[in-house]
Amino acid sequence: MTYAIEVKDLVKQFGDFQAVDHIDMKFETGKITALLGPNGAGKTTTISMILGLLKPTSGTIQVLGQPVGTKALRERVGAMMQDVKAPDGLRVDEVLQLFRSYYKKPLSLTQLLDISGLHGEAKRRAASLSGGQRRRLAFAQCLAGDPEMILLDEPTVGMDIEARGRFWDTIRAMAARGRTIILTTHDLEEADAVADYITMIAKGRVVAEGTPAALKAQTALRTISFHVQTIVTEAELLSLPGVEKVEITGARIRLHVQDTDRILAELLKTSWGVSDIDVSSAKLGDAFRILTQ
Amino acid sequence: MNMFIAQTKAESIRIIRSPFFMLFSILMPLGFYFLFASLNGSDMKVQSTTYAPFAMISMTAFSLIGTAMSQFGIRLSYERRDGWVRLLKLTPLTPSTWIGSKMVAHMIVHLLTIIVIFGAAGLVYSIDLTVIQWIVCGGWLWVGSLPFLAMGSLLGTMKNADAVIAIANILQMGLAILGGLWMPLHTLPTWMQNIGEWLPSYRYAHGAWNMLNGSGPAFLDVIILLVVGVVFMVLSGYILNRREAL
């Protein structure tokens, strides 16, 4: 297994504020990895250091086997940051041609227009594009050099559903071609749906990492809900093995548990007249909330 | 090299397409030129020449100072604020190629501006200059615009882009009026003349005014422009390097 990025003991201090607090992480080559965390968790700071835009207070970062910030590396890495305005005075095709000129082996203009879906807007001024179109242009710009590794900071903010779909299709196709993709997001469903691997960070630390399925299994509780015939107290429910939380709505009870198989057996042994049982797997969101609290 | 040419082309296009450039660096200087020349009479005596060539120099100087301050200075500040500079840092484009191509783009646009204003003045009024005089006057104004690019680059280091606009406009107007570009310096109050003599804007135009009557720029013209250029370049370079180190 090879790693496109290896981050060791990374720290970034802004005055008294520790934005990144001794982070260790690795991003596997050819995979889509999501850096997931609430706002202010240190995602953008981490990405900025990986890109060489910010100097770490301490720690080391290796990107594609090299130290960050070299020109050779910028040839191989594409990045899309948040909140970049389009340059005034240039048309969409002119912006893309300009970015193509920076690289030795650029993608063709047609390919870039395909990726961004901006064929119809090619002759329009970049500054007159809508927010979503501008994001798509920024995405095409970061792919101009046909990079081996792509870093995306909150890529789909401002995109509509259709653009988002096309965007993720492109990302998946690139990963299939062996490109390494790292994206930051605070959108759990997005990370769950797209990423091969998720690194969750909160308050500048890595709080969990793994595949979306492993993260759910490892950290999240499952819920089991059912009807009862008799009156059952909360204390009785909490005394069952592995029950973390109880919600009672009339005759319907919902339990948050670690191990649903075990609790199911216990429930059937009781004399409460348990019926209409519904087991649901945890959502990544539950895991996320628990871990980042 | 390809990168440099593409970047220079893009930067030139951006300046020329800017409505502010069109208005403040072309239309306004030309408008005022013809207005003043018709009010004062194009053959009114000014120093040892007439108003038409004299004001042609003043208004070209005014135009180029404006382009250097706004299109270079204000734009640099805005590009930094809008994340454009950060974005370019992620590409193989080096900062020196970027700044270098911006300056080359400016020099291309400045040359075009000189041709347009000289051309318009020459077409409308019979300006009695030899071919050599046209060329050296234009050449002086062209090369002499470099110190103002250096001033622009210092403005461009400022973080508050909106403040840069205000400062650039005040500076540009102050330099133009006190430097005798709007009205000849000798028509201004003495205290203004005393300040004006030392301003790079006056020295900039003065060098070319001298050329109109066949003499060369004064020693002080060259020195003041050189000093201004070097000081502002070093200053903005120092500020940018210090910021990089953070």
Side-chain angles (χ1 to χ4, degrees):
Chain A
M1 197 180 285
T2 59
Y3 294 101
I5 302 179
E6 290 184 66
V7 172
K8 286 196 189 114
D9 204 24
L10 189 67
V11 175
K12 182 67 190 183
Q13 188 103 25
F14 292 111
D16 289 338
F17 176 63
Q18 189 115 332
V20 172
D21 187 5
H22 300 278
I23 277 185
D24 283 284
M25 52 189 179
K26 289 176 175 181
F27 296 97
E28 213 178 307
T29 306
K31 290 273 158 60
I32 304 175
T33 305
L35 200 55
L36 179 65
N39 290 332
K43 299 181 302 261
T44 301
T45 309
T46 305
I47 288 279
S48 298
M49 285 191 281
I50 290 173
L51 288 169
L53 290 175
L54 273 178
K55 283 204 174 88
T57 307
S58 66
T60 59
I61 305 169
Q62 288 258 311
V63 178
L64 302 170
Q66 297 183 30
V68 298
T70 66
K71 195 182 171 204
L73 207 53
R74 289 197 292 270
E75 188 76 45
R76 299 163 68 192
V77 177
M80 179 162 103
M81 303 299 284
Q82 294 178 60
D83 308 326
V84 175
K85 293 210 177 125
D88 58 289
L90 292 181
R91 300 192 309 252
V92 168
D93 58 341
E94 288 168 338
V95 173
L96 291 174
Q97 291 289 23
L98 178 63
F99 273 73
R100 290 184 66 243
S101 80
Y102 299 157
Y103 300 93
K104 290 196 186 86
K105 284 180 210 150
L107 292 178
S108 72
L109 179 63
T110 315
Q111 279 173 303
L112 293 174
L113 288 171
D114 285 341
I115 288 167
S116 56
L118 289 173
H119 274 287
E121 286 78 20
K123 296 287 172 197
R124 265 178 62 188
R125 291 285 176 87
S128 73
L129 296 178
S130 72
Q133 288 170 330
R134 207 142 44 200
R135 283 308 270 168
R136 277 146 56 192
L137 176 62
F139 181 52
Q141 279 166 231
C142 93
L143 297 181
D146 195 13
E148 289 164 50
M149 193 179 101
I150 302 152
L151 284 104
L152 307 159
D153 196 9
E154 301 275 356
T156 54
V157 171
M159 283 189 196
D160 59 27
I161 293 174
E162 193 208 325
R164 214 173 266 235
R166 180 168 40 213
F167 177 77
W168 291 125
D169 288 344
T170 312
I171 291 290
R172 285 196 196 93
M174 304 203 89
R177 282 170 54 216
R179 303 292 189 261
T180 306
I181 290 133
I182 288 121
L183 58 105
T184 69
T185 180
H186 60 262
D187 186 338
L188 299 147
E189 280 164 37
E190 195 162 273
D192 192 9
V194 179
D196 299 311
Y197 197 84
I198 295 176
T199 301
M200 281 191 197
I201 63 172
K203 296 186 183 116
R205 287 173 172 275
V206 174
V207 291
E209 51 186 323
T211 61
L215 276 179
K216 282 182 242 178
Q218 170 200 329
T219 55
L221 305 170
R222 286 169 174 245
T223 63
I224 180 165
S225 65
F226 48 87
H227 263 92
V228 286
Q229 307 288 325
T230 57
I231 295 195
V232 184
T233 65
E234 194 171 328
E236 278 178 285
L237 292 162
L238 278 172
S239 68
L240 292 169
V243 173
E244 303 266 326
K245 198 178 157 201
V246 176
E247 291 169 53
I248 304 174
T249 350
R252 186 121 193 122
I253 293 172
R254 181 190 291 272
L255 302 177
H256 294 252
V257 298
Q258 301 278 11
D259 182 349
T260 42
D261 293 344
R262 194 159 152 223
I263 206 82
L264 207 55
E266 293 286 331
L267 283 174
L268 294 173
K269 274 192 255 171
T270 62
S271 53
W272 301 337
V274 173
S275 66
D276 194 13
I277 300 170
D278 181 33
V279 177
S280 64
S281 65
K283 295 201 171 56
L284 196 55
D286 302 324
F288 183 63
R289 262 199 310 282
I290 291 166
L291 286 165
T292 55
Q293 261 162 19
Chain B
M1 201 56 219
N2 221 346
M3 199 192 291
F4 191 88
I5 294 170
Q7 187 71 25
T8 305
K9 194 178 141 201
E11 297 287 356
S12 313
I13 291 176
R14 292 178 67 193
I15 300 171
I16 292 173
R17 283 191 189 151
S18 157
F20 295 99
F21 169 76
M22 250 323 139
L23 185 63
F24 292 108
S25 298
I26 302 289
L27 296 179
M28 207 166 103
L30 278 180
F32 280 114
Y33 175 66
F34 290 119
L35 178 70
F36 287 149
S38 59
L39 284 178
N40 292 323
S42 62
D43 46 10
M44 181 183 88
K45 282 261 173 277
V46 185
Q47 292 170 12
S48 51
T49 178
T50 56
Y51 196 81
F54 182 86
M56 174 182 82
I57 301 293
S58 318
M59 282 300 122
T60 310
F62 170 70
S63 161
L64 296 184
I65 292 172
T67 310
M69 299 266 189
S70 331
Q71 295 295 324
F72 199 61
I74 296 177
R75 200 181 273 275
L76 276 176
S77 184
Y78 265 81
E79 287 182 359
R80 191 163 293 116
R81 188 192 71 174
D82 292 346
W84 187 245
V85 175
R86 201 178 43 167
L87 183 73
L88 291 178
K89 274 191 193 158
L90 300 174
T91 71
L93 182 76
T94 58
S96 52
T97 309
W98 176 59
I99 287 287
S101 64
K102 257 187 188 299
M103 294 188 68
V104 171
H106 261 274
M107 292 314 274
I108 293 171
V109 172
H110 289 184
L111 189 61
L112 292 174
T113 308
I114 293 169
I115 293 170
V116 167
I117 299 180
F118 276 27
L123 280 177
V124 175
Y125 302 113
S126 57
I127 292 175
D128 188 23
L129 291 178
T130 64
V131 177
I132 301 290
Q133 273 177 313
W134 281 107
I135 293 173
V136 288
C137 279
W140 167 267
L141 288 173
W142 190 51
V143 177
S145 63
L146 280 166
F148 298 97
L149 282 182
M151 286 177 103
S153 74
L154 186 69
L155 286 175
T157 61
M158 290 180 54
K159 282 188 172 155
N160 184 339
D162 296 318
V164 171
I165 295 188
I167 293 170
N169 284 331
I170 291 169
L171 211 57
Q172 188 188 337
M173 281 302 159
L175 282 172
I177 293 168
L178 290 171
L181 302 182
W182 286 103
M183 284 155 285
L185 198 64
H186 65 84
T187 63
L188 299 177
T190 323
W191 67 270
M192 281 170 99
Q193 290 186 37
N194 292 339
I195 302 171
E197 276 184 347
W198 296 96
L199 291 179
S201 49
Y202 173 72
R203 292 295 160 185
Y204 181 37
H206 186 254
W209 288 327
N210 274 3
M211 290 168 175
L212 292 177
N213 55 39
S215 57
F219 180 65
L220 256 185
D221 298 344
V222 179
I223 292 299
I224 288 180
L225 287 173
L226 263 180
V227 167
V228 164
V230 171
V231 166
F232 280 92
M233 216 166 67
V234 169
L235 219 58
S236 51
Y238 171 77
I239 291 173
L240 286 180
N241 279 329
R242 260 196 52 170
R243 201 173 289 163
E244 280 296 298
L246 288 178

